[in-house]
Amino acid sequence: MSWRRHLKHWLVPHKHNDHRPHLIRAHGLAIVAVLIVGLQTTALAVRPAAARPPGHQSIGAVLAYATDITPQELFDQTNQQRAANGLPPLQLDSRLNASASAKAADMFQYDYWAHVNPVNGTQPWYWFTQAGYSYSYAGENLAKDFDTTAGVMTGWMNSPGHRANILNPHYVDVGFAVQNGVLVGGQTTLVVAHYGAPASAAIAAATPVPSARPQAQPIAATAGEPTATPTPAVSATPSPVPTVAPVAPIVKGQISAGPSAPEPHSYSLFAPLSLTKTLNWPSLISLGLLLLLFSIYFVTHLAVWRKGLKRWRSPHYKAYAVASLAVLGLAIILLATSGFGMVG
């Protein structure tokens, strides 16, 4: 038997297979199920250690955390976006990595997803100072429920506030955290990005160059930048350290009197990012298999109805036809939307 006849027996309903393609029989469905679970398991095995969830030995954990997001990929893609917009790259700062990790852990501990802890009112900037990062400018981006780094970055770049943080020319450093856990009763992956410019850089920029005759006038300041007021000269020696006024943090890429948390953005089939960006390769292949099954079921039920075969007259078969298409359709929608997360 040629491979074409084999393929026809497996995929196309006709009289020689009793209008029941082998792929939608018990042994065919078992093969599809093994393939889907095998894809997820293989994907976890080859996934970078930074993207693996804790307790990933179980099949349940494999399917719960189908994510390929890593801090290194977030860092690389952030600088790619900055380079594409003519901006210098950010430096990966260990202190901001620590502050982002602490913020992610706090969200899991207190079961919330927001810039400000609703239980004790902790602001995002608290984690900057706790990690030892004294800043002149600071910002925070959040994301959850995404499957891929590209999905996170696309979500951020499609949101004006998050895009402004990524492309803010004031920022010098960045840190990332990617943590898996249970939030509001569901398993998820949280992504936190902390952007900053150290206070020392602002002081250095505001410090006047010493001269034989120091200027007594204060240096003019621009909106949103630190102001520097030199100590009036009382001798021929200028004051070495000017007084620097505090600077309000930048949140969502905007200079404001204080931190603000804009409304989160969610993505779905009705406002898609891109399936190829938000779904990792095991999920894309699994989606393809489900679409193939749906197509075969649809063509088979249509052929049985049009040919008026005996089994179509059975109410049980009609119920089976409707149920099979409904279940597969729902599975396809759920899988397709599983990579669309939220940014905040």
Side-chain angles (χ1 to χ4, degrees), residues 127-176:
W127 306 110
F128 284 68
T129 56
Q130 284 294 105
Y133 190 91
S134 180
Y135 60 87
S136 56
Y137 293 92
E140 177 180 85
N141 279 357
L142 303 177
K144 68 171 183 174
D145 298 335
F146 283 94
D147 282 358
T148 64
T149 303
V152 172
M153 291 303 301
T154 303
W156 282 344
M157 292 300 291
N158 283 359
S159 170
H162 299 84
R163 177 188 175 91
N165 260 350
I166 294 171
L167 302 182
N168 192 315
H170 290 290
Y171 294 144
V172 177
D173 304 312
V174 69
F176 299 99

Side-chain angles (χ1 to χ4, degrees), residues 146-236:
F146 283 94
D147 282 358
T148 64
T149 303
V152 172
M153 291 303 301
T154 303
W156 282 344
M157 292 300 291
N158 283 359
S159 170
H162 299 84
R163 177 188 175 91
N165 260 350
I166 294 171
L167 302 182
N168 192 315
H170 290 290
Y171 294 144
V172 177
D173 304 312
V174 69
F176 299 99
V178 180
Q179 292 188 18
N180 299 304
V182 177
L183 192 72
V184 196
Q187 294 172 317
T188 189
T189 298
L190 289 182
V191 179
V192 180
H194 279 176
Y195 310 87
S200 57
I203 295 175
T207 304
V209 178
S211 62
R213 301 183 64 181
Q215 301 294 322
Q217 294 83 5
I219 297 176
T222 58
E225 296 181 353
T227 58
T229 306
T231 304
V234 295
S235 65

Side-chain angles (χ1 to χ4, degrees), residues 15-292:
K15 63 180 181 180
H16 297 295
N17 61 12
D18 193 27
H19 294 90
R20 285 193 179 98
H22 289 276
L23 196 63
I24 61 173
R25 298 187 184 191
H27 57 281
L29 294 175
I31 292 174
V32 172
V34 169
L35 281 174
I36 291 177
V37 174
L39 283 169
Q40 298 289 341
T41 305
T42 303
L44 183 67
V46 301
R47 188 168 296 151
R52 296 180 187 175
H56 63 272
Q57 292 81 3
S58 67
I59 294 298
V62 172
L63 299 177
Y65 297 116
T67 175
D68 290 328
I69 306 169
T70 65
Q72 184 61 48
E73 288 181 347
L74 288 167
F75 175 65
D76 293 340
Q77 293 191 26
T78 294
N79 279 336
Q80 288 170 11
Q81 293 292 343
R82 289 179 66 87
N85 287 272
L87 294 171
L90 299 177
Q91 302 299 313
L92 194 61
D93 190 280
S94 60
R95 294 166 297 177
L96 292 184
N97 283 340
S99 68
S101 295
K103 173 59 182 289
D106 189 67
M107 286 191 284
F108 278 126
Q109 179 182 354
Y110 287 93
D111 202 28
Y112 73 97
W113 189 70
H115 291 281
V116 179
N117 186 319
V119 178
N120 53 34
T122 301
Q123 300 278 337
W125 328 117
Y126 169 79
W127 306 110
F128 284 68
T129 56
Q130 284 294 105
Y133 190 91
S134 180
Y135 60 87
S136 56
Y137 293 92
E140 177 180 85
N141 279 357
L142 303 177
K144 68 171 183 174
D145 298 335
F146 283 94
D147 282 358
T148 64
T149 303
V152 172
M153 291 303 301
T154 303
W156 282 344
M157 292 300 291
N158 283 359
S159 170
H162 299 84
R163 177 188 175 91
N165 260 350
I166 294 171
L167 302 182
N168 192 315
H170 290 290
Y171 294 144
V172 177
D173 304 312
V174 69
F176 299 99
V178 180
Q179 292 188 18
N180 299 304
V182 177
L183 192 72
V184 196
Q187 294 172 317
T188 189
T189 298
L190 289 182
V191 179
V192 180
H194 279 176
Y195 310 87
S200 57
I203 295 175
T207 304
V209 178
S211 62
R213 301 183 64 181
Q215 301 294 322
Q217 294 83 5
I219 297 176
T222 58
E225 296 181 353
T227 58
T229 306
T231 304
V234 295
S235 65
T237 305
S239 175
V241 181
T243 301
V244 180
V247 178
I250 290 182
V251 184
K252 296 303 175 199
Q254 299 176 354
I255 300 172
S256 62
S260 62
E263 292 297 321
H265 298 265
S266 61
Y267 298 92
S268 67
L269 281 177
F270 303 102
L273 300 178
S274 169
L275 279 178
T276 56
K277 287 187 176 181
T278 58
L279 293 182
N280 51 35
W281 64 267
S283 296
L284 284 171
I285 297 175
S286 299
L287 182 62
L289 289 171
L290 292 179
L291 285 169
L292 178 62

